[in-house]
Protein backbone atom coordinates (compact mmCIF):
# COMPACT_ATOMS: atom_id res chain seq x y z
CA UNK A 1 0.00 0.00 0.00
CA UNK A 2 1.22 3.46 -0.87
CA UNK A 3 0.87 6.57 1.27
CA UNK A 4 1.27 8.95 -1.68
CA UNK A 5 -1.29 11.76 -1.68
CA UNK A 6 -2.44 10.65 -5.12
CA UNK A 7 -3.28 7.22 -3.69
CA UNK A 8 -4.96 8.63 -0.61
CA UNK A 9 -7.23 11.01 -2.54
CA UNK A 10 -8.85 11.05 -5.96
CA UNK A 11 -6.57 12.26 -8.74
CA UNK A 12 -9.07 14.71 -10.21
CA UNK A 13 -9.91 16.28 -6.88
CA UNK A 14 -7.94 18.51 -4.61
CA UNK A 15 -5.86 16.88 -1.93
CA UNK A 16 -5.87 17.63 1.77
CA UNK A 17 -5.50 21.35 2.40
CA UNK A 18 -7.16 22.39 -0.87
CA UNK A 19 -4.01 21.91 -2.94
CA UNK A 20 -3.94 20.04 -6.21
CA UNK A 21 -2.60 16.48 -6.24
CA UNK A 22 1.12 16.86 -6.88
CA UNK A 23 1.98 13.27 -7.78
CA UNK A 24 -0.69 11.89 -10.10
CA UNK A 25 -0.63 8.19 -10.86
CA UNK A 26 0.98 7.46 -14.24
CA UNK A 27 -0.05 4.13 -15.72
CA UNK A 28 0.12 5.04 -19.44
CA UNK A 29 1.68 7.78 -21.56
CA UNK A 30 -1.76 9.34 -21.93
CA UNK A 31 -1.72 10.11 -18.19
CA UNK A 32 1.20 12.49 -18.74
CA UNK A 33 0.61 16.16 -19.46
CA UNK A 34 3.08 18.16 -21.52
CA UNK A 35 4.60 20.89 -19.33
CA UNK A 36 3.53 18.94 -16.25
CA UNK A 37 5.68 18.07 -13.26
CA UNK A 38 6.02 14.47 -12.10
CA UNK A 39 8.21 12.37 -9.83
CA UNK A 40 9.93 9.17 -10.81
CA UNK A 41 12.80 6.86 -10.06
CA UNK A 42 16.02 6.65 -12.04
CA UNK A 43 15.87 3.39 -13.93
CA UNK A 44 19.18 3.43 -15.78
CA UNK A 45 22.00 5.67 -16.98
CA UNK A 46 23.44 5.99 -20.45
CA UNK A 47 26.62 8.05 -20.90
CA UNK A 48 25.60 8.86 -24.48
CA UNK A 49 21.84 9.42 -24.05
CA UNK A 50 21.30 10.54 -20.46
CA UNK A 51 19.02 9.25 -17.71
CA UNK A 52 15.99 6.98 -18.04
CA UNK A 53 13.34 7.70 -15.43
CA UNK A 54 10.52 5.33 -14.51
CA UNK A 55 7.32 7.37 -14.00
CA UNK A 56 5.00 4.39 -13.56
CA UNK A 57 4.82 0.66 -14.10
CA UNK A 58 4.86 0.88 -17.90
CA UNK A 59 6.03 4.45 -18.48
CA UNK A 60 9.68 5.42 -18.84
CA UNK A 61 11.00 8.77 -20.00
CA UNK A 62 14.41 10.03 -21.04
CA UNK A 63 16.29 13.04 -19.70
CA UNK A 64 18.89 14.13 -22.24
CA UNK A 65 22.28 15.31 -21.00
CA UNK A 66 21.43 18.90 -22.00
CA UNK A 67 18.21 18.74 -19.91
CA UNK A 68 19.79 17.52 -16.66
CA UNK A 69 20.79 20.91 -15.33
CA UNK A 70 20.95 24.58 -16.22
CA UNK A 71 24.70 24.36 -15.59
CA UNK A 72 27.29 22.11 -17.20
CA UNK A 73 27.80 18.83 -15.34
CA UNK A 74 31.21 17.29 -15.98
CA UNK A 75 30.93 14.10 -13.92
CA UNK A 76 27.17 13.55 -13.59
CA UNK A 77 26.89 9.74 -13.13
CA UNK A 78 27.62 9.69 -9.35
CA UNK A 79 25.05 12.45 -8.81
CA UNK A 80 22.23 10.30 -10.20
CA UNK A 81 22.39 6.76 -8.82
CA UNK A 82 19.86 4.16 -9.99
CA UNK A 83 16.79 4.16 -7.74
CA UNK A 84 17.02 7.83 -6.75
CA UNK A 85 13.72 9.74 -6.63
CA UNK A 86 13.81 12.71 -9.01
CA UNK A 87 11.46 15.49 -10.00
CA UNK A 88 10.99 15.87 -13.75
CA UNK A 89 9.26 18.26 -16.15
CA UNK A 90 7.55 16.73 -19.19
CA UNK A 91 8.78 18.29 -22.43
CA UNK A 92 6.98 16.01 -24.89
CA UNK A 93 5.20 12.67 -25.03
CA UNK A 94 5.15 11.99 -28.79
CA UNK A 95 6.84 9.91 -30.10
CA UNK A 96 8.93 9.38 -26.96
CA UNK A 97 8.59 10.72 -23.43
CA UNK A 98 11.17 13.49 -23.14
CA UNK A 99 11.85 14.92 -19.69
CA UNK A 100 13.87 17.71 -18.12
CA UNK A 101 15.32 18.28 -14.67
CA UNK A 102 16.33 21.93 -15.23
CA UNK A 103 15.28 24.36 -12.52
CA UNK A 104 14.39 26.94 -15.18
CA UNK A 105 11.73 24.56 -16.55
CA UNK A 106 10.23 24.11 -13.07
CA UNK A 107 10.15 27.89 -12.58
CA UNK A 108 8.38 28.24 -15.93
CA UNK A 109 5.81 25.63 -14.89
CA UNK A 110 5.31 27.40 -11.54
CA UNK A 111 4.72 30.75 -13.29
CA UNK A 112 2.17 29.14 -15.63
CA UNK A 113 0.39 27.54 -12.66
CA UNK A 114 0.33 30.88 -10.83
CA UNK A 115 -1.03 32.59 -13.95
CA UNK A 116 -3.76 29.95 -14.24
CA UNK A 117 -4.73 30.46 -10.59
CA UNK A 118 -4.76 34.25 -11.05
CA UNK A 119 -6.93 33.96 -14.17
CA UNK A 120 -9.33 31.60 -12.36
CA UNK A 121 -9.58 34.10 -9.50
CA UNK A 122 -10.16 36.94 -11.97
CA UNK A 123 -12.91 35.01 -13.76
CA UNK A 124 -14.56 34.19 -10.42
CA UNK A 125 -14.39 37.85 -9.37
CA UNK A 126 -15.96 38.97 -12.68
CA UNK A 127 -18.74 36.42 -12.30
CA UNK A 128 -19.37 37.57 -8.74
CA UNK A 129 -19.50 41.20 -9.91
CA UNK A 130 -21.94 40.32 -12.69
CA UNK A 131 -24.20 38.45 -10.31
CA UNK A 132 -24.06 41.30 -7.83
CA UNK A 133 -24.97 43.81 -10.55
CA UNK A 134 -27.80 41.57 -11.72
CA UNK A 135 -29.30 41.26 -8.25
CA UNK A 136 -28.78 44.94 -7.47
CA UNK A 137 -30.25 45.81 -10.87
CA UNK A 138 -33.33 43.65 -10.21
CA UNK A 139 -33.89 45.46 -6.88
CA UNK A 140 -33.75 48.81 -8.66
CA UNK A 141 -36.17 47.54 -11.31
CA UNK A 142 -38.62 46.48 -8.60
CA UNK A 143 -38.36 49.93 -7.01
CA UNK A 144 -38.98 51.58 -10.38
CA UNK A 145 -42.02 49.35 -11.01
CA UNK A 146 -43.38 50.16 -7.54
CA UNK A 147 -42.85 53.87 -8.16
CA UNK A 148 -44.61 53.64 -11.53
CA UNK A 149 -47.54 51.82 -9.93
CA UNK A 150 -47.76 54.56 -7.29
CA UNK A 151 -47.74 57.16 -10.05
CA UNK A 152 -50.47 55.26 -11.91
CA UNK A 153 -52.61 55.21 -8.75
CA UNK A 154 -52.20 58.97 -8.45
CA UNK A 155 -53.24 59.40 -12.09
CA UNK A 156 -56.38 57.34 -11.51
CA UNK A 157 -57.45 59.53 -8.58
CA UNK A 158 -56.90 62.67 -10.63
CA UNK A 159 -59.12 61.46 -13.48
CA UNK A 160 -62.01 60.83 -11.13
CA UNK A 161 -62.16 57.09 -11.81
CA UNK A 162 -63.21 55.10 -8.79
CA UNK A 163 -60.70 52.30 -8.31
CA UNK A 164 -62.91 50.50 -5.82
CA UNK A 165 -65.75 48.33 -7.12
Amino acid sequence: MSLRKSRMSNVGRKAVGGRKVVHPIVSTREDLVVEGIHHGYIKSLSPAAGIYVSLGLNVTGRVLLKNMSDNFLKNWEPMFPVGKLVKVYVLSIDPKVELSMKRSDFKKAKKEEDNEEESEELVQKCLDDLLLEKYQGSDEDEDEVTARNDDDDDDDSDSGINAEY
Side-chain angles (χ1 to χ4, degrees):
M1 177 167 182
S2 175
L3 294 177
R4 293 174 77 178
K5 286 185 180 181
S6 58
R7 291 283 191 186
M8 301 303 288
S9 63
N10 293 334
V11 176
R13 295 187 177 173
K14 294 190 177 194
V16 177
R19 298 175 65 197
K20 292 182 180 175
V21 175
V22 179
H23 311 291
I25 299 168
V26 178
S27 55
T28 64
R29 279 189 350 178
E30 288 77 31
D31 294 336
L32 294 174
V33 178
V34 175
E35 298 181 353
I37 297 174
H38 294 276
H39 287 77
Y41 292 96
I42 296 178
K43 187 174 183 179
S44 63
L45 305 174
S46 172
I51 300 172
Y52 291 93
V53 178
S54 176
L55 300 171
L57 291 175
N58 301 319
V59 182
T60 300
R62 179 178 65 175
V63 180
L64 294 174
L65 295 173
K66 66 180 182 180
N67 293 327
M68 281 188 206
S69 174
D70 290 319
N71 302 320
F72 176 74
L73 299 176
K74 185 173 183 179
N75 188 15
W76 58 270
E77 290 93 349
M79 296 169 57
F80 301 103
V82 174
K84 180 178 181 178
L85 179 65
V86 292
K87 183 176 176 182
V88 293
Y89 176 83
V90 180
L91 296 173
S92 69
I93 55 174
D94 288 324
K96 295 180 180 179
V97 178
E98 295 291 333
L99 307 170
S100 172
M101 293 191 306
K102 290 183 178 181
R103 286 186 185 209
S104 59
D105 289 333
F106 294 119
K107 288 179 183 177
K108 180 172 64 171
K110 178 69 174 157
K111 285 180 184 176
E112 290 174 5
E113 184 178 302
D114 290 344
N115 288 340
E116 286 177 12
E117 288 177 5
E118 287 176 8
S119 64
E120 287 175 9
E121 289 174 5
L122 181 63
V123 167
Q124 186 62 40
K125 184 177 183 240
C126 289
L127 289 173
D128 291 343
D129 290 344
L130 286 173
L131 288 173
L132 185 62
E133 286 176 13
K134 179 180 176 183
Y135 287 118
Q136 285 179 347
S138 65
D139 290 342
E140 290 172 5
D141 292 342
E142 289 175 11
D143 293 340
E144 290 175 13
V145 169
T146 305
R148 278 191 229 138
N149 288 340
D150 291 341
D151 291 340
D152 291 343
D153 291 342
D154 293 340
D155 293 340
D156 291 342
S157 62
D158 292 341
S159 62
I161 300 173
N162 188 1
E164 296 178 16
Y165 295 102

